[in-house]
Amino acid sequence: MATQRRSSMASSYVAVHKFSGNAAESQLQFGKGEVIFANAGQSGDWWWGALQRNGVKIEGWFPPTYVKRRASQAPAPTP
């Protein structure tokens, strides 16, 4: 993935589509409706983000076109 990670405050996004990423390429896999945290201010075709699943933090690259920013921003862990 060519996009670099930036250090900023994390924002929360909700998945509007399922993304079956490739774990071998560090891609974040998620289902529709899952909440993803990503650093604000990223640009490009791939963003670095994280989600919590069953108490485990999972990180990886994902296409930002699969998510939309949540209207209500809860405190977010930094990915």
Side-chain angles (χ1 to χ4, degrees):
M1 306 293 127
T3 307
Q4 294 182 0
R5 296 181 224 174
R6 295 185 183 184
S7 59
S8 293
M9 181 187 298
S11 296
S12 60
Y13 298 83
V14 64
V16 293
H17 305 285
K18 176 182 177 180
F19 179 64
S20 301
N22 184 338
E25 294 183 11
S26 299
Q27 294 176 357
L28 185 64
Q29 299 175 3
F30 52 82
K32 183 177 179 179
E34 284 196 81
V35 176
I36 299 150
F37 298 96
N39 289 336
Q42 293 188 71
S43 62
D45 295 336
W46 293 90
W47 289 3
W48 184 261
L51 57 81
Q52 291 280 334
R53 189 177 292 137
N54 299 323
V56 176
K57 181 179 179 180
I58 303 167
E59 296 181 296
W61 295 103
F62 68 95
T65 55
Y66 281 65
V67 300
K68 69 176 182 178
R69 191 166 183 164
R70 290 177 68 190
S72 135
Q73 295 291 307
T78 302

